[in-house]
Amino acid sequence: MNNYKPIAEIIESSTKSFVAQCYELYQAPKLGTFVQTRDDPSIVGVVYNVFTEPLDPSRRPIARGPFQNTQEKLYEDNPHLSLLFRTEVEVFILGYIDNSKKYKYESPLLPAKIHMGVSLLTKEEIVSFTENINFLELLIEGISTISEEIFSITIRTIASYRQDPEQFIFDSGKQLAGSFSHDQQKLILLLRKLGRGPING
Amino acid sequence: MPFDFELITEKLQKAVKSIKSNTNSFNQRVLKLIDIYQTTELGFVEQKRTEGKHNWISAKFLDENSIYYEANKLPSDYRVIAVDGSHIDVDRHSPIKCVVLNIGTVIFTYGSEPQAILTNSPYTFIGDSEINIFDSSTTSRSPLQGNLMGVKRAVMELTNLADTLEQYADGIPTLALIDGSLILWSILGEQEFVIKELLQDQFLEQLNRIKNLAHQNVILASYLSYPDTSDVINALRICICNENCSNKNPCTEGCVLVNGIRDRDLFIKFLPDNARSALFESTSNVIEKYYNKGNEISFYYLRIFDEIARIELPSWVSNDPNLLQLSHSLIIDQCEKGMGYPVSIMESHEQAVINTNDRENFKMLLDRLLAEQGVNYNTSQKDRSKKFRWV
């Protein structure tokens, strides 16, 4: 496991997904990033949505006009702004790590607890978690939730950590072909998106 | 029963038409007053005011009245601390007499190390001893509700401001800003023991605590948006009125000319953007009778985003040219950041506000606690009829 450093905290939780509020405004993990909770069991998932919104939903931001300086200057001149908004991530659950430190590619039986910390997985941990192609089961099941685009981003991100990225994308495509043999249109769409190649960085 | 708008629309239409037809004459009177304001000598205004032949509350002119001032450059590092309050008044139908007060405080640091802190502090006043002001020499008491609760809130806001300033004052220019007035007008008419406790022992004590931080570059100011005050107009009125006139017996020279005109009507036409007026001093009865030396309240008007605001300052700020200038430039900056209204007051209000949900939750909490203790909650029939609407 990595040296645990939380970057966000769970504020909504279910057995399929959770929402975490980032500790720093705009400092969210990118789409397709693997994260884990410091819960027991530790739940592993992938970021499928990132958004920033006002803390108080009744106070909508209004445009400040083109006369404003750069974003950095705007936030320097108005330091309270960073306290009035929050950046959140939605995470789709791909499995969990059981008591014997084994990966389970299935939904946890209970959701993660509210206020649990969320940290990033290292490249090595991502490679380790995705070594078994079964990790794709929940991800493929969740395409309707996370969208075809996020599925593609996730696979192409994992591919970039592999020694043979093209092979990993090819293997994932084969799994897709099995799952979507009944829906050729969707399969072609997914394969076309995977065909964009690995995402580096 | 739906509200019948038809019944009130006709009267409203007439009122709106009369405003429109009076606008030209109103503007002409304002222009004439601006002319008088610019040409009347400072000494003459003060001479007429101190003659005391009229009893209108009129501003003491401390400056050349025709002058206005542009804002200076901002210091490289500065801080703004603002407070605001909100409260839940006593529910006289409830078996437990309780007031809830929430004070919002913001601390904004600008410059080389920008930082913001937003906090709020809730307080409760429960039971007879806490929700009444007692006269120690008699059995008299005044309940903290309505107007008096507003005064108590002003005291608590100033106390929180003084606490925060003592913690943060470190020599960098710090604007301590409150919403409203530094003049506790509303306490006039209360009994002397109430005035002594809330104004003399508490409010003025906090003003003194803040005054003691003047050497740390602390500037205390209050901000009144779109003020209804007429202190300057009243001073001009004294100069032009017939000496025998009064509010009951208005003269044709001054009284008719100033009728319905407030200070803001004059300064919105006189001041350029971001400029402040000359400095004045309030001659309110409450200040003359109770405020101690050094805490007399001066004020100027400020034009910002096509609005006039009244800025009130204790005399220890207005007597120091450096602090006075800083108050002007820092308040302009706050208004620019808040798109027309000081951002620190806006955010302290947001911290303080007890919204409808919170109020409902507070009532529910109280009901639950009473029920847990088996207290029979015999509310009034009137309260019940409002809570449970039925046909």
Side-chain angles (χ1 to χ4, degrees), chain B residues 101-116:
Chain B
L101 178 61
N102 194 33
I103 306 285
T105 305
V106 303
I107 304 151
F108 295 162
T109 308
Y110 301 99
S112 53
E113 290 177 41
Q115 192 196 24

Side-chain angles (χ1 to χ4, degrees), chain A residues 56 58-59 62-65 67-68 75-84, chain B residues 78 108-111 114-118 336-339 343 346-347 350-351:
Chain A
D56 178 351
S58 66
R59 293 183 73 194
I62 55 170
R64 286 173 177 250
F67 53 84
Q68 287 291 337
Y75 281 78
E76 270 174 32
D77 287 350
N78 300 276
H80 65 288
L81 283 182
S82 51
L83 300 178
L84 300 182
Chain B
Y78 56 100
F108 295 162
T109 308
Y110 301 99
Q115 192 196 24
I117 298 172
L118 310 174
E336 284 174 349
K337 287 178 163 55
M339 298 177 133
V343 66
M346 184 169 82
E347 294 303 336
E350 290 294 340
Q351 288 299 307

